[in-house]
Amino acid sequence: MTPEISLTPSTRHARHGSNIGQPLTRRDGILKVKGEAPYAADRHHPGMLYAVIATSQIARGRVTSLDIAAAKAHPGVVDVMTSTHKPQLAEDPDAKLHPFMFRMELLQNDTVRYANQAIAVVIAETLEAATEGALLLAPKYEVLAARVGLDSNESFVPPAIGIGNPSVIERGDVEAGLAAASKRIDATFETPPQYHNAMEPHAIVAAWDGDTLSIDTPSQGMAMAVGRIAGLFGIAPDKIHIRSPFLGGGFGSKGLISGPQILGIMAARLVGKPVKLVLRRDQMYGPVGHRAPTRQRLRVGADGEGRLTALDHYAKTTTSTFDDFFEPAADASHTLYASPAIKTSHEAIRVDTGTPLFMRAPGEATGSIALESAIDEMAWACGTDPLAFRIKNYADVEPISGKPFSSKALRECYTKGAERFGWSKRILAPRKMRDDDGFLVGWGVGTATFPALMFQAAARAVIKRDGSGVMEIGAHDMGQGAWTALVQIAADGLGLDLDRVEFKSGSSDLPDAGIAGGSAHTATAGMAIHNAGAAVIAKLGELATSDERSPLFGAGNAGVIARDGRLFRRDDEGRSDSYADILARAGLVEIDASGTGATNPAAQAEYAMHAHGAVFVEVKVDPDLGQVRVTRAVGAFAAGRIVNPHLVRSQLFGGMIWGVSFALHEEAVMDHRSGRIMNANLAEYHVPVNADVPSLDVLLIDEHDPHVNALGIKGVGEIGVTGSAGAVANAVWHATGVRARRFPIRIEDLVTGEGVR
Ligand code: MOS
């Protein structure tokens, strides 16, 4: 059964021409405000038990004993799942059959690979009993020295970075370009480990009925999760049903099903009852992915005219001791600035942490804060305004591939954003601007870019006898607004008013919508919906034009258009037929068709596809205390066709706030002795709160991209963080004259000049 989601129509749902492009309020908004939107952990089955994971206090070694008797003796505790007492799995959790398959800790042995790894699961009648039982396990360990941080192990060149990108790419001769340069920058930056910290922790309610498995869990990719679960438990995928109507954020950490979620399913199998398992906030620092730290060296050369001659971007990062994910930070230098010589290279070390994962523009976010800082530094070395320097040096064809862009409206992003911000009043030199209270004022700019990706999706469209439509797709709403934007695309595809479309989503028994990641969900799922709509309309057209009783008889399939529940003759709109009449005459209860969405390999071979933007930031810095406040930010973005400007703006705001967060707040602090994270909670892992977020302004720059897909949709989920983080750092330099070399920017680096003045 798919979840019953009663989306609320709002007065703004009145349709003005096309549904696509309308600033509809989110249709799940009222449900959420009233607390009625069902999240995974809200599910309650009769007789359901509660599972709590006991996690390792050490980062490396072995569990030598657990006091299982003590835990079991606790009232309410039903069972304790351990490496020697657990359901048999059909597949090794350490198997890696494809790059998207990540190794998991499913109690396969007594080895500890990182702090916060699961070492047992206590199952009890209440959450309290399970929690208490987990505490009573009092684990003992054989402890080995933990290796964390960027210098704790031997480095190597990863075989591939990100998802299958080459570690090292060089185009042109970087050393020659640097040698020929009249200005050179050589700067090293560090970015910290960051954790996704979605508001909703990873949660699962699992219920087995024989070999049939019913699951409530947040997922950015239900179909892949079904496949992984099927493999691990040796059951057919069609025996597994996941409901995931809403996610309280994902940021990449819910793209693949995680170890703790699988442990919940194992626990339910073990006790033969439904089980709920919800990670505690501190338990999210380890088994569900993170953004690895980086150290990046940028060497940049420019000639006497202020044009780049060389760009060398090197990034070192970490992965776990047992699996591979390498933050592709240097690849941020592939697509933006027109240097005749570009080299990007990566190295990595293995550390005793959980495996890193995609997180909020993986690679682009980390890489662009370093790149934008170095570009800014070069602009200053050349005595040029940093915006003018960027406009002079941005590329007209993608530098690394030599391909033309499918579309690029970056110049307008620069000029319109600058105008809105008031950039022309900027004084070139740092430390020259003050406000009335004596605070140092700094203005910074950063370029935003993110690839326009697509994955694969399918959708099923139905026209019913009453003339209404149904669109089915197992899409994922992480808060970005899929319940609204995708319905807008569906309504246009079906030629119906929004309120005549029943939209079924958020469930694995619906067609696979592909992964909601890589900022590709609206384009991918949207194209499947669009094509399914077109296919069912084509069928309907065939019925009508071949039916003598229809006003459309003989019009030919290509000769009709769909609108307002009717088909019209294209050459004579006075002749039309309603969906309901067409089906009634054909004696059909309904008619359906499927459609798919996917990348177009031919277009991809020819064009480089990216969204672009420019972000302008104002900071104020206390000249004595070094305290930094972002006071204003303007982002101008060109991201193809905007399905819903209201939701898109909201996503871009979110991305810009991640940028503020990256530059000034977020950092997981490692204890290098124990290998544990010292701030594994939302009190000490800083993220911006309302008081940290200034007035934000987003400009949507018109862009028609005829190549990305038939609808012209690019993504907006992640581009907001790129550019923004660098713009904050550059604004801090402009205010203080101090170049931040490590992030988040620290007060002590500003007051002591630990950055570079
Ligand atoms: Mo995103 S990091 O692709 O969910």
Side-chain angles (χ1 to χ4, degrees), residues 719-751:
I719 187 172
V721 66
T722 72
S724 301
V728 174
N730 295 335
V732 167
W733 170 78
H734 188 235
T736 63
V738 177
R739 285 280 172 204
R741 291 296 193 226
R742 55 174 184 159
F743 300 100
I745 297 170
R746 293 159 178 79
I747 284 176
E748 59 267 35
D749 292 351
L750 299 181
V751 296

Side-chain angles (χ1 to χ4, degrees), residues 196 220 250-255 291 357-362 450 453 455 478 515-520 658 718:
H196 300 79
Q220 293 175 240
F251 309 134
S253 76
K254 293 166 184 165
R291 195 202 295 284
L357 195 62
F358 335 97
M359 174 172 152
R360 306 181 208 145
F450 197 83
L453 304 173
F455 301 111
M478 303 183 267
I515 197 163
S519 301
W658 299 346
E718 289 159 284

Side-chain angles (χ1 to χ4, degrees), residues 252-572:
S253 76
K254 293 166 184 165
L256 305 159
I257 196 143
S258 65
Q261 287 162 297
I262 299 291
L263 288 171
I265 303 172
M266 289 168 66
R269 184 77 146 183
L270 185 71
V271 295
K273 289 195 173 163
V275 164
K276 178 187 291 191
L277 187 153
V278 182
L279 281 190
R280 281 200 317 267
R281 178 64 51 184
D282 62 293
Q283 294 178 332
M284 293 172 70
Y285 290 76
V288 295
H290 66 286
R291 195 202 295 284
T294 71
R295 180 180 297 141
Q296 302 176 55
R297 183 180 180 199
L298 270 291
R299 293 190 305 153
V300 189
D303 63 19
E305 315 271 271
R307 284 185 198 282
L308 296 179
T309 59
L311 175 54
D312 180 28
H313 194 159
Y314 158 87
K316 183 178 185 182
T317 187
T318 66
T319 188
S320 68
T321 55
F322 56 92
D323 211 345
D324 292 349
F325 181 81
F326 303 99
E327 177 88 1
D331 287 2
S333 287
H334 283 171
T335 63
L336 211 46
Y337 295 111
S339 171
I342 296 179
K343 182 177 181 187
T344 57
S345 56
H346 296 81
E347 281 189 296
I349 67 165
R350 296 198 179 278
V351 294
D352 299 307
T353 66
T355 306
L357 195 62
F358 335 97
M359 174 172 152
R360 306 181 208 145
E364 289 85 5
T366 35
S368 85
I369 196 169
L371 172 64
E372 290 301 312
S373 295
I375 289 291
D376 219 68
E377 202 164 336
M378 179 55 94
W380 174 241
C382 294
T384 318
D385 171 80
L387 176 62
F389 186 82
R390 284 171 172 82
I391 290 175
K392 184 185 246 180
N393 280 289
Y394 83 72
D396 284 321
V397 297
E398 188 181 51
I400 205 73
S401 68
K403 291 185 205 170
F405 290 103
S406 56
S407 65
K408 185 171 192 174
L410 179 56
R411 172 179 288 271
E412 282 176 87
C413 295
Y414 283 138
T415 54
K416 291 192 172 151
E419 193 185 331
R420 176 70 65 95
F421 185 83
W423 184 260
S424 61
K425 297 197 187 69
R426 184 179 182 274
I427 297 170
L428 188 62
R431 289 186 79 87
K432 293 281 188 255
M433 288 165 51
R434 297 245 182 181
D435 73 359
D436 293 344
D437 298 318
F439 287 98
L440 293 162
V441 176
W443 290 358
V445 61
T447 310
T449 182
F450 197 83
L453 304 173
M454 283 179 76
F455 301 111
Q456 285 196 353
R460 178 172 170 265
V462 183
I463 300 286
K464 297 203 292 193
R465 170 117 102 193
D466 66 0
S468 70
V470 182
M471 188 63 74
E472 298 182 343
I473 184 160
H476 312 91
D477 198 322
M478 303 183 267
Q480 83 276 42
W483 281 109
T484 307
L486 295 179
V487 189
Q488 291 176 255
I489 298 172
D492 282 359
L494 292 168
L496 288 169
D497 267 357
L498 211 75
D499 296 337
R500 296 283 283 161
V501 178
E502 185 188 351
F503 186 66
K504 294 188 177 173
S505 186
S507 175
S508 70
D509 58 0
L510 298 169
D512 175 10
I515 197 163
S519 301
H521 203 38
T522 308
T524 311
M527 277 308 300
I529 288 168
H530 174 78
N531 289 333
V536 79
I537 293 299
K539 275 192 179 176
L540 207 57
E542 228 166 89
L543 280 182
T545 57
S546 57
D547 179 351
E548 287 177 8
R549 293 163 296 173
S550 170
L552 300 175
F553 178 67
N557 205 6
V560 297
I561 48 175
R563 195 175 66 227
D564 297 329
R566 304 183 73 82
L567 296 183
F568 296 82
R569 249 188 106 117
R570 199 179 287 273
D571 55 0
D572 176 8

